[in-house]
Amino acid sequence: MLPEPLIVRYLENHYAKYFDRHEPLKITQLKDKGYYYEFNLWRGKVVTIGESVTKVDLMLYQRPIEEEFSITE
C-alpha cells in the first residue's frame, strides 16, 4: 500500500510552513522508487510532473503525529 494520504498531508504542511500557501493538493501516478516516492502533483488545475519525497522525510513527519495520538500508560 502506498501512503498517498500521508504524502498529501506532508506536502500541505510543507507548503503552509515554508510558502504560506494553503492549496488543495492531489497526487496521481504514485510510484515507489526504493528510498523515495515519485508522483505527479496537482495544485488546482496545474500539474507538476516528476515530484518526489523521500521515505525518511515521511517517517520523520509521521513520528510526531503518532506520538501525539499514542496512548500512554
Side-chain angles (χ1 to χ4, degrees):
M1 181 178 155
L2 297 173
E4 186 173 334
L6 178 62
I7 293 173
V8 170
R9 281 197 328 253
Y10 171 79
L11 291 172
E12 286 174 346
N13 186 16
H14 179 79
Y15 277 91
K17 184 176 181 180
Y18 294 105
F19 303 112
D20 197 28
R21 293 188 199 164
H22 301 280
E23 305 177 57
L25 302 176
K26 180 181 173 186
I27 291 177
T28 57
Q29 298 181 356
L30 181 62
K31 299 173 194 164
D32 187 342
K33 295 287 193 170
Y35 67 92
Y36 67 97
Y37 292 106
E38 184 178 84
F39 49 88
N40 294 340
L41 178 63
W42 290 83
R43 293 179 295 183
K45 294 182 180 180
V46 178
V47 65
T48 305
I49 298 172
E51 285 289 324
S52 63
V53 63
T54 65
K55 291 181 179 180
V56 171
D57 286 341
L58 289 176
M59 286 189 301
L60 293 173
Y61 173 72
Q62 188 175 16
R63 187 176 302 152
I65 293 171
E66 289 175 350
E67 290 172 358
E68 182 179 333
F69 293 106
S70 69
I71 299 172
T72 56
E73 295 181 36

